[in-house]
Amino acid sequence: MASLRLPRLIRAPGRRLYSAAASPSSRLNLPIDYKSTPLLHHTSSTLSESLELPGSATSKSMNLYQAINSALRTALTKSEKVMLFGEDVAFGGVFRCSMDLQTEFGSERVFNTPLTEQGIVGFAIGAAAQGMKPVAEIQFADYVFPAFDQIVNEAAKFRYREGATGVHAGGMVVRMPCGAVGHGALYHSQSPEALFAHVPGVQVVVPRSPSQAKGLLLASIFEHNNPVIFMEPKCLYRAAVEHVPNEYYTIPLSKAEVLKPGNDVTIVSYGQPLYLCSAAIAAAEKALGVSVELIDLRTIYPWDRQTVLDSVKKTGRAIVVHESMINYGVGAEVAATIQDQAFLRLEAPVKRVAGWSTHTGLQYEKFILPDVARIYDAIKQSIEY
Amino acid sequence: MSAYLLRRISRNPRVLSRIPQRWSSSISQRPGSDRVRFPGAVNSKFTTDMAFINPSEMTHIPTYRVMDSDGVLLDKNRKPAGVSNEEILTWYKNMLTVSVMDVIMFEAQRQGRLSFYMVSAGEEGISVGSAAALTPDDVVFAQYRETGVFQQRGFTLKDFMSQLFANCHDNGRGRNMPVHYGSNYPRMHTISSPLATQIPQASGAAYALKLESLQNPDTPPRIVTCYFGEGAASEGDFHAGLNIAATRSCPVVFICRNNGYAISTPTLEQYRGDGIASRGVGYGIDTIRVDGNDIFAVYEAMREARRIALSDGGKPVLIEAMSYRVSHHSTSDDSFAYRARVEVEDWKRRDNPIIRLRKWLENEGLWDEDTERTTREQLRKEVLKEFGEAEREKKPPLREAFEGVYEELTEEAQEQMKELKRILETYPEEYDLRQFKDGINGL
């Protein structure tokens, strides 16, 4: 093991040799400083200002994986029907999300499955159809495709085809780490939310922060009787740290959140790119003297069209930002809806800032995915149109 | 799964030592032992004889049967199955009902009165015989050629016909193709067309039953039964479902109907091993092969499989029931395009689960030609009566097209319903709504 650790010692601090470094002259594309971003509750005092979070007496500073772990612990405590399984879940999970849960709740409710994604999701559907609340983990969203048939043809259609028997698989949640991490290349970077958003019958959720992840995950398990695809931006697992209420609380699905009010442009995004949007907005507001409204979609489908339309009708301009490919992505649906229902209020074409229509080649990630410069540029172009 | 993961673990070796699990690899190799102690095979003997295992040289798994094709018990000292004659007569009538309904509905499809149908000819014994060994609390996942399971578990002719005509009494709300039956209790999950998807689902449902009885010891012991054909067993979901059932010790009985064909594909193009049964052994699952034309053998195997499934806190079992698909695959298939008519005729004449049981009943003095004729005529009348009534019933209201996608109608769906209504009102001559309950107001 010592030899494996050696490269860490010689690596320059804060710089990773295997991912393209920021340009030394960068003014926009700087690393996100999660310690100062306005999107996170750095102290417990701001928690109570958030309408959806409980004004909790007790909260704890935690990162995203710890918040997921806290949500899962809360869920397993709250109901005996909750069970947790997937590949390598028992020892704590490869991202530590299920840490200590098998010890606390037993190997009957928290366990490893054989390495088979279609089996994991099929197993979850069967358990849910019998009234359980299975929380299945797919190790990386990139590996969900073997389970695509089970999700699309089975989980999503279960209630519809059962009809009057009243049987459904609504108790299930499929969690999966998603998104880029700087060096995940083709199969540890994907964000397949748009593929699931094309499937009636499932709800698709992407949280942006620890406090949100806990509330949305608990709502997915307990408050929505539909199969939920819960995608966790894995680069936030350790990076995003904020105060999270200790108690049980939920955040409603299919409801967007206006993160920052503004008058001139609306930016719609979700997950990790929200931090890039926030940085780009700060730069644009300073340099261009504009006022930008930032909306976190949170639930990709069925999505909160009203909040987005209300905002665009006010600002007259819209930009949609996401990591996954621009072609047929979430931005296409949002832009088309805006065009259809806010046409007369639009003062510029709806812009989409998203991943290029290619694969995430290892060395090219920084050039393929949206960054602060591209979002900044989109704001500028929209304003100047 | 991934190199990424390996790297994560190697960077953080401490996590490995915290795993609260039994480590088969910790069994150390004793000096001079005659066995290998690799973690992946803890009880394998060493050999210096380099011999590949050749499947063709292995003894094939035998087929369990209780009576021969003349309906004569092979062990004459034993009463078949340990069930009453009355019960055996209901099995016979249930097989007959399925068979009579099949002929009528197949013809109805040919006349264009039904969009689609699939008969069970030759396989009635497997479904009726196995279902007879279940309790109403047991849960069934089926493929589509298990009409006898529904019949045996109380599905009525009205239920069948409502589903086939997708009318307003259909459990599936007119959403599914014919033959995709479903019932809440006794629970038989609504059939879905994608093959083998129900196999891992059955494992998950069985695990839920096991957990439920652990958490609430007062619940009656229950198992899940999962049916599929030998063709479906080639799907990845078969592998996933059996493997996960074995590793999680699920009380589930898998029943493979091996009828020789998957549409046009004969078994020689489906697999080269010893059928499906030989695979069960590979997954560490208790396995048996039975004569699917012998309803006593199927019933007895299922009854014992149910007992095994509930033993040791839960255990999967595999039954491979051999039979022959006498009919076409479906109404969309003409099987004489890929197999000889004479082969089918031969099977029809030579062996068949209904005729075999009838011979046994006749030998016992429980049945005769007259009873056969009047029973068939009676069943025919009942089927035609329900057929006529179901055909005349209205289809479900149009809103059923949108409801049930989610627990609640989404705002988007409500908008789309409104838009559809506007279209229907603007172009009334383009759509015939008379068939649908409440017409345009059904939206």
Side-chain angles (χ1 to χ4, degrees):
Chain A
M1 288 300 173
S3 62
L4 280 171
R5 287 175 167 211
L6 195 59
R8 301 187 82 180
L9 301 176
I10 57 170
R11 189 183 302 153
R15 190 162 162 247
R16 295 185 170 189
L17 297 176
Y18 46 74
S19 90
S23 161
S25 56
S26 279
R27 293 165 62 185
L28 292 167
N29 285 340
L30 300 169
I32 296 295
D33 182 5
Y34 289 100
K35 288 195 177 64
S36 64
T37 173
L39 301 193
L40 295 169
H41 296 286
H42 301 290
T43 65
S44 57
S45 59
T46 58
L47 273 182
S48 53
E49 291 162 23
S50 171
L51 291 176
E52 284 168 339
L53 299 177
S56 174
T58 59
S59 67
K60 203 175 147 192
S61 177
M62 49 179 88
N63 62 29
L64 185 71
Y65 88 68
Q66 290 163 333
I68 296 286
N69 183 262
S70 162
L72 294 171
R73 178 175 290 104
T74 307
L76 286 157
T77 306
K78 186 178 159 69
S79 168
E80 277 200 326
K81 289 185 183 303
V82 177
M83 47 202 269
L84 186 65
F85 53 86
E87 294 158 15
D88 307 297
V89 163
F91 86 109
V94 299
F95 289 110
R96 319 311 292 134
C97 291
S98 50
M99 207 154 58
D100 300 329
L101 297 179
Q102 189 178 61
T103 318
E104 284 172 49
F105 298 97
S107 59
E108 299 296 343
R109 290 175 66 203
V110 180
F111 54 87
N112 288 340
T113 63
L115 211 159
T116 166
E117 284 76 14
Q118 63 199 94
I120 292 167
V121 174
F123 192 86
I125 293 169
Q130 213 46 54
M132 301 299 285
K133 292 188 172 298
V135 181
E137 178 177 304
I138 299 295
Q139 205 159 70
F140 287 83
D142 309 65
Y143 305 127
V144 74
F145 304 112
F148 209 57
D149 184 38
Q150 286 285 356
I151 292 172
V152 175
N153 275 331
E154 298 292 319
K157 296 177 174 61
F158 215 99
R159 181 194 299 279
Y160 191 77
R161 72 170 183 244
E162 285 274 357
T165 72
V167 181
H168 59 85
M172 66 185 281
V173 176
V174 184
R175 291 177 43 238
M176 60 190 88
C178 71
V181 284
H183 54 279
L186 281 70
Y187 306 110
H188 298 87
S189 303
Q190 296 180 56
S191 296
E193 66 275 1
L195 294 171
F196 296 113
H198 194 63
V199 181
V202 294
Q203 289 180 290
V204 187
V205 180
V206 186
R208 72 164 186 278
S209 73
S211 68
Q212 226 195 41
K214 182 173 175 181
L216 288 170
L217 182 53
L218 286 170
S220 302
I221 297 170
F222 292 111
E223 292 188 353
H224 294 268
N225 243 336
N226 300 307
V228 177
I229 307 292
F230 196 87
M231 299 175 57
E232 300 159 9
K234 59 181 168 289
C235 79
L236 301 179
Y237 273 144
R238 287 164 194 270
V241 180
E242 70 173 342
H243 275 264
V244 177
N246 293 330
E247 66 204 66
Y248 173 90
Y249 66 95
T250 59
I251 295 174
L253 305 193
S254 294
K255 204 165 173 307
E257 181 186 4
V258 179
L259 283 178
K260 176 196 167 303
N263 300 316
D264 303 323
V265 190
T266 299
I267 297 187
V268 180
S269 188
Y270 52 90
Q272 196 277 339
L274 284 164
Y275 296 91
L276 306 175
C277 293
S278 182
I281 289 169
E285 291 193 333
K286 202 168 150 200
L288 310 170
V290 293
S291 156
V292 183
E293 185 148 303
L294 180 60
I295 295 179
D296 179 359
L297 213 47
R298 302 199 294 201
T299 300
I300 309 306
Y301 194 81
W303 62 291
D304 183 355
R305 303 189 303 169
Q306 206 51 54
T307 299
V308 171
L309 289 169
D310 286 348
S311 172
V312 178
K313 283 176 187 167
K314 178 179 72 177
T315 61
R317 293 178 167 86
I319 299 165
V320 193
V321 182
H322 53 75
E323 261 184 30
S324 59
M325 281 65 70
I326 194 162
N327 51 302
Y328 291 93
V330 172
E333 174 65 22
V334 174
T337 303
I338 292 171
Q339 179 274 137
D340 184 49
Q341 300 192 25
F343 183 70
L344 292 176
R345 303 293 187 90
L346 282 180
E347 290 170 47
V350 180
K351 293 200 78 68
R352 291 181 286 164
V353 182
W356 304 125
S357 304
T358 177
H359 308 294
T360 321
L362 182 69
Q363 292 294 1
Y364 316 112
E365 186 183 300
K366 276 197 179 325
F367 303 98
I368 293 168
L369 301 184
D371 58 14
V372 179
R374 280 178 59 197
I375 301 166
Y376 176 90
D377 181 69
I379 297 171
K380 191 161 175 281
Q381 284 197 33
S382 186
I383 293 294
E384 291 170 357
Y385 185 82
Chain B
M1 177 93 263
S2 67
Y4 184 87
L5 156 63
L6 285 175
R7 200 169 62 237
R8 286 187 62 85
I9 291 177
S10 63
R11 275 214 309 254
N12 191 3
R14 276 174 309 129
V15 298
L16 291 174
S17 61
R18 266 192 265 127
I19 302 173
Q21 291 264 312
R22 180 176 64 88
W23 284 87
S24 47
S25 55
S26 66
I27 304 165
S28 58
Q29 184 85 44
R30 258 169 292 155
S33 169
D34 64 335
R35 275 153 218 277
V36 185
R37 291 287 195 188
F38 289 120
V42 293
N43 199 22
S44 167
K45 269 193 178 175
F46 289 120
T47 176
T48 52
D49 178 19
M50 192 190 69
F52 288 79
I53 297 168
N54 183 341
S56 67
E57 287 165 8
M58 295 176 75
T59 321
H60 282 214
I61 295 170
T63 303
Y64 175 67
R65 58 158 48 173
V66 172
M67 65 177 160
D68 65 16
S69 47
D70 293 323
V72 176
L73 297 188
L74 297 160
D75 180 354
K76 298 197 172 55
N77 300 322
R78 196 159 71 105
K79 191 164 166 59
V83 291
S84 69
N85 287 341
E86 289 70 43
E87 196 176 339
I88 296 172
L89 278 167
T90 64
W91 298 355
Y92 183 71
K93 284 179 200 158
N94 283 338
M95 286 201 287
L96 220 50
T97 307
V98 171
S99 173
V100 167
M101 179 167 71
D102 275 356
V103 172
I104 294 172
M105 300 322 288
F106 193 88
E107 279 309 310
Q109 195 283 333
R110 286 292 187 251
Q111 294 169 15
R113 295 167 78 178
L114 194 65
S115 60
F116 179 77
Y117 196 71
M118 300 178 101
V119 308
S120 300
E123 297 172 60
E124 302 92 339
I126 298 174
S127 44
V128 171
S130 58
L134 301 177
T135 72
D137 289 323
D138 292 333
V139 173
V140 163
F141 285 83
Q143 179 167 304
Y144 49 58
R145 212 183 294 285
E146 293 88 2
T147 305
V149 174
F150 286 82
Q151 171 68 24
Q152 176 68 27
R153 301 190 93 206
F155 220 59
T156 64
L157 283 175
K158 183 183 159 90
D159 293 333
F160 282 121
M161 292 301 149
S162 300
Q163 199 286 326
L164 292 169
F165 286 104
N167 68 25
C168 57
H169 301 300
D170 169 22
N171 273 345
R173 305 264 201 236
R175 292 164 185 157
N176 306 310
M177 279 176 80
V179 189
H180 292 50
Y181 309 118
S183 137
N184 187 326
Y185 188 84
R187 181 158 294 179
M188 295 174 277
H189 281 289
T190 302
I191 287 161
S192 77
S193 308
L195 287 182
T197 47
Q198 76 277 19
I199 303 174
Q201 292 172 12
S203 306
Y207 191 77
L209 298 185
K210 167 178 163 155
L211 218 52
E212 231 177 304
S213 65
L214 275 174
Q215 291 168 350
N216 179 9
D218 294 335
T219 52
R222 295 189 282 168
I223 65 156
V224 170
T225 303
C226 178
Y227 295 83
F228 50 88
E230 92 285 348
S234 295
E235 293 282 1
D237 276 329
F238 166 87
H239 163 67
L242 269 71
N243 196 33
I244 211 163
T247 58
R248 292 313 302 170
S249 306
C250 303
V252 53
V253 178
F254 299 106
I255 304 188
C256 177
R257 296 176 291 97
N258 191 335
N259 63 16
Y261 288 94
I263 306 187
S264 75
T265 307
T267 53
L268 270 180
E269 291 168 22
Q270 199 64 248
Y271 54 73
R272 281 297 162 102
D274 179 17
I276 308 304
S278 64
R279 300 182 201 166
V281 180
Y283 291 112
I285 291 178
D286 291 19
T287 299
I288 193 170
R289 173 177 285 156
V290 302
D291 181 343
N293 287 355
D294 176 349
I295 195 166
F296 293 141
V298 173
Y299 172 80
E300 286 185 9
M302 185 64 205
R303 197 180 48 181
E304 177 60 9
R306 190 177 183 281
R307 192 195 62 75
I308 296 170
L310 290 167
S311 64
D312 299 339
K315 244 173 130 174
V317 182
L318 173 63
I319 298 175
E320 183 182 26
M322 312 308 289
S323 70
Y324 184 84
R325 199 192 77 213
V326 175
S327 63
H328 301 302
H329 164 70
S330 73
T331 47
S332 311
D333 170 52
D334 173 13
S335 69
F336 300 130
Y338 49 81
R339 60 181 186 182
R341 204 177 276 268
V342 57
E343 174 189 323
V344 179
E345 289 306 320
D346 184 45
W347 269 99
K348 269 190 191 166
R349 231 188 2 260
R350 188 152 49 104
D351 195 17
N352 165 321
I354 298 180
I355 294 174
R356 223 198 270 195
L357 184 59
R358 181 179 161 187
K359 285 176 178 167
W360 182 85
L361 290 169
E362 286 178 352
N363 291 344
E364 296 287 309
L366 296 166
W367 203 254
D368 55 38
E369 187 58 39
D370 278 353
T371 324
E372 174 78 11
R373 207 174 36 244
T374 52
T375 308
R376 276 185 180 273
E377 195 40 48
Q378 180 63 25
L379 286 171
R380 218 182 115 74
K381 271 190 203 150
E382 283 172 35
V383 170
L384 288 173
K385 176 175 157 281
E386 295 296 346
F387 179 112
E389 280 174 19
E391 199 179 26
R392 281 191 298 274
E393 279 288 356
K394 294 242 180 203
K395 303 300 177 204
L398 271 185
R399 66 169 174 275
E400 295 293 354
F402 294 89
E403 281 180 348
V405 176
Y406 293 94
E407 189 177 29
E408 280 158 8
L409 271 177
T410 62
E411 170 239 304
E412 186 186 15
Q414 291 175 36
E415 218 171 78
Q416 292 176 0
M417 287 168 79
K418 225 183 264 172
E419 176 64 3
L420 174 59
K421 195 166 190 175
R422 185 188 67 79
I423 294 283
L424 296 177
E425 284 166 345
T426 315
Y427 306 95
E429 67 283 3
E430 302 297 327
Y431 305 91
D432 185 1
L433 299 179
R434 286 171 303 176
Q435 278 196 78
F436 292 89
K437 205 174 171 194
D438 306 329
I440 196 160
N441 297 320
L443 249 185

